[in-house]
Amino acid sequence: MANSGDKPAARNRESLWKDEFSIFQERERFVSRRQLIKFLTLTSLGMFVGNVWILFRSWMRRDSTFPRQEIARIGEIPVGGVKLFRYPNPKEQCLLVRTSEDNYVAYSQKCTHLSCAVYYSREDNQLICPCHNGRFSIRDGAVIQGPPTRALPHVILERKGQELIAIGMSGKLES
Amino acid sequence: MRRRTTALDGVAALLILLLMVQIWLLSATLDAYLAGHTDAALPGAICSGLIFVAVAGLYRFVQRLDRAR
């Protein structure tokens, strides 16, 4: 009983196979075009899903709050000195630079091109990515030269007495 | 048969054109998202959805063409 029930399905499979891989050239061309259209439709669906994923991530991160974290004490690093710290989570490396006696700036250390670690060059007064020689302004993290197209995410600092506290990040969504 | 093949060619060309727009849309939205701008995400998703509806409509047209064979 089960065998007789399977027979029509097997026949359908065979006919589909013959249809997909026809021996007639005209039909074969017709089938390959149809398959291309099927593939293009699936690709379009994939890209739509990608856009929805970005929308979902945007909504998820819109209300995210950054933690307050003490990153250094005033005078802990000399003028032109650098201190590395992790913010807003233990996976994200950032660097704090003392640019003058009273001025501190902090940025994500991850280059916006291919995520290499940037370093501070005191001679050039710039943040430099050694991988592709991308350079960022120490003043605002903007791209000066090289392949990166986006500025470095900027860590917002607050001075509370003798402590420097990171309170958020601009140009970055992940918390 | 020849007319059907021509129709399929036209549909494939139109699909490729729509997909190019959709690829641009996805890359532009992703770039804006990575730069910290979330405003482009909603219009990007809506436009991408509309393009997908158009693509699905063309796919259905091809299926109907096959059934009429």
Side-chain angles (χ1 to χ4, degrees):
Chain A
M1 194 66 181
N3 283 345
S4 63
D6 287 347
K7 272 178 186 172
R11 221 176 9 247
N12 280 344
R13 273 203 299 274
E14 191 184 53
S15 62
L16 180 68
W17 179 86
K18 279 185 177 174
D19 196 42
E20 294 279 328
F21 301 97
S22 175
I23 57 168
F24 300 107
Q25 194 182 20
E26 187 78 2
R27 268 204 199 168
E28 174 60 32
R29 284 180 62 208
F30 182 74
V31 169
S32 66
R33 278 171 196 167
R34 202 172 53 195
Q35 284 172 337
L36 171 72
I37 287 166
K38 206 181 279 182
F39 171 75
L40 292 178
T41 308
L42 281 173
T43 309
S44 174
L45 176 65
M47 281 190 279
F48 174 52
V49 169
N51 265 102
V52 171
W53 177 78
I54 293 170
L55 179 65
F56 175 71
R57 292 277 303 224
S58 297
W59 275 343
M60 288 289 286
R61 302 292 179 193
R62 188 168 280 181
D63 301 324
S64 66
T65 52
F66 288 95
R68 287 175 69 88
Q69 183 184 317
E70 185 195 330
I71 54 169
R73 293 187 67 79
I74 299 295
E76 187 183 325
I77 51 174
V79 175
V82 173
K83 183 185 180 183
L84 297 177
F85 63 100
R86 293 178 190 277
Y87 186 82
N89 60 56
K91 288 180 187 170
E92 300 286 333
Q93 185 109 319
C94 299
L95 78 174
L96 172 74
V97 183
R98 188 176 183 183
T99 53
S100 64
E101 198 62 41
D102 281 330
N103 195 33
Y104 293 84
V105 286
Y107 297 98
S108 166
Q109 209 188 5
K110 208 188 273 181
C111 178
T112 53
H113 176 225
L114 289 175
S115 300
C116 292
V118 299
Y119 68 91
Y120 174 62
S121 165
R122 197 174 175 180
E123 296 77 38
D124 301 318
N125 198 30
Q126 289 171 351
L127 293 160
I128 299 174
C129 176
C131 291
H132 302 97
N133 206 25
R135 286 169 183 254
F136 301 89
S137 164
I138 194 68
R139 205 175 301 158
D140 54 2
V143 180
I144 294 171
Q145 73 157 51
T149 54
R150 291 186 299 273
L152 279 178
H154 180 226
V155 180
I156 302 164
L157 300 173
E158 188 183 270
R159 190 170 171 167
K160 192 177 176 188
Q162 287 300 300
E163 291 172 353
L164 274 174
I165 299 166
I167 57 169
M169 289 187 90
S170 64
K172 188 169 175 65
L173 296 165
E174 277 83 3
S175 63
Chain B
M1 193 63 150
R2 197 169 188 84
R3 283 176 68 187
R4 196 176 293 139
T5 310
T6 311
L8 279 180
D9 281 342
V11 167
L14 202 59
L15 283 181
I16 288 168
L17 207 70
L18 286 171
L19 248 69
M20 281 166 70
V21 176
Q22 212 176 8
I23 287 171
W24 173 81
L25 205 61
L26 181 62
S27 60
T29 315
L30 184 64
D31 196 50
Y33 169 75
L34 290 175
H37 307 298
T38 54
D39 301 340
L42 183 62
I46 290 170
C47 290
S48 188
L50 289 174
I51 290 173
F52 172 65
V53 168
V55 168
L58 285 169
Y59 179 65
R60 281 203 66 182
F61 168 73
V62 171
Q63 276 190 324
R64 252 184 285 155
L65 214 65
D66 279 348
R67 257 183 255 134
R69 185 168 52 166

